[in-house]
Amino acid sequence: MYDRDQLFINGKWAAPVDGRDCISVVSPHSEAVIGHAVSAGPADVNRAVDAARAAFDAGPWPRMQPAERIEAITRLAGIYNERRADMATLISAEIGAPITFAKRAQVRLPLTMMSAFCNLAAGYQWCQDRPGLYGKNIRIRKQPVGVVAAVVPWNMPQFLTVTKVVPALLAGCTVVLKPAPESVLDAQLLADLVAAADLPPGALNVVPGGREVGELLVRHPGVDKVSFTGSTAAGRQVALACAQGLKQVSLELGGKSAAVVLDDADPSAVATGIQMASLANSGQVCNALSRILVPHQRKDEFVDALAAGMASMTVGDPADPATQIGPLAAQRQQERVRGYIESGKSEGARVVTGGSQMPDGLDAGWYVRPTLFSDATNDMRIAREEIFGPVLTVISYRDEDEAISIANDSEYGLAGSVFTGDVERGYGVAARVRSGTFGVNEGYIMDPAAPFGGVKNSGYGRELGTEGIDSYTVSQSISTAG
């Protein structure tokens, strides 16, 4: 049992002022309570923002040289590395991520991102001179934007936290982090690691809670920038609140990404690539490839290969290293995904494998079978709405132009992929699909050197790469007389 009855604010653990609600963390596998955390109340949110505000306005962190902040984050990364096994076990327990995936993507990837951001910060142009129009030099300084509110969801909690918190800290900002209730325990462990790394008080503060805490934080006048990852509906509300407060905001929202399978692709290779890009974390990934566009004349080959691969996946206890598909993170998510499966059937799509019944051998837990639909059209709900579960929809097309048209016929634009025997042909398809990221013969790999983000209803702003540091800075232009 993991129990936390204190909040991490201003560099120390302390009892909440008015946070009385208890967050119960339930195992998605056993449906048993595995931990508790206290939720922040309004006064606690104020305390956290005030601590971050004081640390930014008068504390040492923004006034350190970039190399000093890099050294501090490198120290944090070393401590994080020592606790990798603990972090992976905790995330697997709280959200049901298979332990093998948790070790690789939920923990090792965030650790990689810490080191990558430190390397990027070391080469970042914090100050540059450029010739002005009037014959004088202009000095451009990159300054930290201020106090950052980082709001993260439950599906990839440490990865999404690190990709917000670390570049913000490296830029000289101070941060108030609001984790999701489902994944609050790993955020508390991260706070322990920050305390051990001896970052200045107020540099990072953590306020667990639900939607009410998020709204208080986003609307707080002491916050200068909001970085939000979540649903498109919630993102709209965040954008409105930030507009009213004239705050900067970055939004990484939903997706309904298409995999364009060209007529020269190999069915076996496509099935393997789709399985990795679409079903990791039980399909609870924003850039999952959930629409599979295949040439009509070869549809059966691709459907058969996809179905065989999905039917062979091991579904079960996330603590078992052999498990490939664990439970969904919440009961409401299980019900939501099952509802989409029934919707697909009622609209005329054909279930090739899977379905809404519990997987064999399991009588508890929030599980959904890996499900493949065929004979679908792009106007069905399963093709238009983000399901966020292990459900894939195959849509056939007549020619490449129609495939591109279907791929772009979506309110989302986060990611996409093309599978082909000709890489140059793949680049041509990528150039025609409107999305923030794209993969050729793979799902987009979230390279820390490249910006990640979407267009359309998938949000705006970029994380990762030097753009991920840019996101937490403002440019100051300085001219000199004489």
Side-chain angles (χ1 to χ4, degrees), residues 216-286:
L216 287 170
L217 181 59
V218 166
R219 294 182 180 278
H220 201 289
V223 169
D224 300 298
K225 161 75 187 270
V226 174
S227 181
F228 174 86
T229 298
S231 71
T232 296
R236 287 193 178 97
Q237 297 304 310
V238 171
L240 285 171
C242 290
Q244 290 173 345
L246 294 179
K247 305 178 195 293
Q248 294 193 30
V249 60
S250 297
L251 302 174
E252 199 269 278
L253 308 177
K256 193 66 181 175
S257 303
V260 179
V261 180
L262 298 184
D263 54 12
D264 61 351
D266 174 68
S268 178
V270 168
T272 299
I274 294 294
Q275 183 172 308
M276 296 174 62
S278 305
L279 299 174
N281 210 35
S282 301
Q284 299 169 121
V285 180
C286 57

Side-chain angles (χ1 to χ4, degrees), residues 136-139 477-481:
K136 299 178 180 179
N137 280 339
I138 303 295
R139 175 158 293 183
S477 301
I478 305 169
S479 63
T480 305

Side-chain angles (χ1 to χ4, degrees), residues 47 87 98 109 145 192 275 402 407 420 433:
R47 278 201 305 150
M87 185 69 82
L109 183 56
V145 70
D192 282 339
Q275 183 172 308
E402 185 181 37
T420 175
V433 176

Side-chain angles (χ1 to χ4, degrees), residues 372-446:
L372 179 68
F373 279 103
S374 185
D375 303 334
T377 57
N378 203 48
D379 58 353
M380 295 179 178
R381 287 184 65 213
I382 56 172
R384 303 208 69 79
E385 299 177 18
E386 185 176 40
I387 298 174
F388 225 60
V391 179
L392 307 183
T393 302
V394 174
I395 303 169
S396 63
Y397 64 84
R398 293 185 303 271
D399 54 34
E400 188 174 309
D401 286 342
E402 185 181 37
I404 302 298
S405 177
I406 295 172
N408 284 329
D409 181 17
S410 172
E411 66 182 52
Y412 298 106
L414 183 59
S417 289
V418 60
F419 290 85
T420 175
D422 183 345
V423 172
E424 288 302 320
R425 186 181 178 193
Y427 285 141
V429 169
R432 298 175 65 191
V433 176
R434 192 168 178 227
S435 68
T437 61
F438 209 82
V440 177
N441 291 327
E442 63 182 6
Y444 183 70
I445 59 172
M446 304 292 288

Side-chain angles (χ1 to χ4, degrees), residues 36 196 360 392:
H36 302 92
D360 295 338
L392 307 183

